[in-house]
Amino acid sequence: MEKSRFIINADFINPPEGIKVTNFVFDDEPYFKCKPRKKPLQHFVLHETAGRSAAGCKKTLLKKGYGVQLILDRDGSVSCHGDLANDVMVHGNQLNATSIGIEVINPYAPKLAKGMSQTETIPAEWWTWCMEKDRRYVLPTQAQLKTLLILVPFLCDKLGIPYEFPTANLNAKKQKITGWNSPPKGWRAKPKPGVVAHRDFAAHADGRYLLEYLMEHTRQ
Ligand SMILES: [Zn+2]
């Protein structure tokens, strides 16, 4: 248990009760490519892998030279791949410099979940990316949601990120933040500080179920 901690500002931080953490210092987790953080942390970006395993996710990120500070596995355990305060990694487009990211291991589309045991689906929502004609979304596990609901507010507090939902107002008619892909010269708008889904501000499809879950289970 002593080793099982997050790394924040070069310090070891115990996780909330019941959450299992491994890290890149003691547990042979990869330390993903990163740069020193120069801007204040403002955003917590929620991702889903569209893949089946944490091992596969780590391999892909290493190969591409990308990174994410945290990975949440199917069993609800978390791995820490950098200093959450100080290491900037490539995961969230225009928010890289001001964010940390968490990859939740979730195949997302039924086709990508073939062969996996115990996956549940719901009918597609406005934010669902549908492969072919199968209009369903594969849910993350209950263990992942349980961890997420405890972990995100805990880390927001430790890192000075407001536990707020600046993209809460997005919907079927307005699916992305204003100016997310505006010219000139590739300028990209950023959401206000808080917790956001990757899909909300970039040409991606992931994270919205996680955000909806947090919003639904958080008293505002
Ligand atoms: Zn993503």
Side-chain angles (χ1 to χ4, degrees):
M1 194 61 196
E2 196 173 84
K3 292 178 182 178
S4 177
R5 288 187 259 178
F6 295 108
I7 295 150
I8 299 177
N9 264 323
D11 203 359
F12 291 94
I13 304 296
N14 285 318
E17 183 89 28
I19 292 182
K20 189 173 164 262
V21 183
T22 51
N23 64 48
F24 65 95
V25 177
F26 291 119
D27 305 292
D28 289 332
E29 293 293 351
Y31 181 33
F32 292 126
K33 190 175 174 184
C34 58
K35 288 182 185 170
R37 193 180 300 283
K38 290 172 182 163
K39 293 180 180 175
L41 253 177
Q42 294 189 314
H43 302 100
F44 201 126
V45 181
L46 306 171
H47 297 273
E48 290 160 285
T49 53
R52 304 157 177 235
S53 74
C57 173
K58 291 168 196 172
K59 207 172 150 186
T60 303
L61 291 173
L62 285 170
K63 196 173 152 190
K64 290 184 176 173
Y66 297 164
V68 72
Q69 287 84 355
L70 300 162
I71 295 176
L72 175 49
D73 208 348
R74 303 288 289 173
D75 65 358
S77 65
V78 188
S79 50
C80 175
H81 302 275
D83 187 309
L84 303 186
N86 298 340
D87 291 341
V88 169
M89 295 181 176
V90 177
H91 66 91
N93 305 79
Q94 66 268 43
L95 297 194
N96 286 334
T98 59
S99 75
I100 63 162
I102 188 166
E103 280 284 1
V104 176
I105 305 300
N106 189 19
Y108 196 101
K111 192 178 176 181
L112 301 178
K114 269 186 187 153
M116 287 177 82
S117 59
Q118 296 171 329
T119 54
E120 282 182 59
T121 61
I122 57 169
E125 299 277 352
W126 61 267
W127 42 261
T128 311
W129 167 66
C130 296
M131 289 179 90
E132 301 172 329
K133 286 178 182 170
D134 193 344
R135 297 195 55 78
R136 289 181 296 152
Y137 166 77
V138 177
L139 292 169
T141 67
Q142 285 303 312
Q144 286 173 316
L145 294 172
K146 192 180 164 200
T147 294
L148 201 70
L149 192 56
I150 298 168
L151 188 63
V152 177
F154 173 83
L155 289 177
C156 280
D157 181 55
K158 296 281 178 206
L159 294 164
I161 300 169
Y163 189 60
E164 288 166 16
F165 307 108
T167 59
N169 63 335
L170 298 183
N171 56 46
K173 285 185 179 164
K174 179 176 167 44
Q175 300 199 357
K176 305 269 183 188
I177 64 164
T178 302
W180 70 280
N181 64 346
S182 294
K185 295 179 185 170
W187 177 79
R188 302 270 188 273
K190 296 176 185 175
K192 292 207 167 73
V195 184
V196 294
H198 191 199
R199 66 150 310 287
D200 294 344
F201 60 89
H204 289 267
D206 57 317
R208 189 72 195 191
Y209 180 85
L210 309 170
L211 185 71
E212 298 278 340
Y213 184 87
L214 291 181
M215 291 192 292
E216 193 183 322
H217 292 83
T218 302
R219 284 187 189 175
Q220 292 271 41

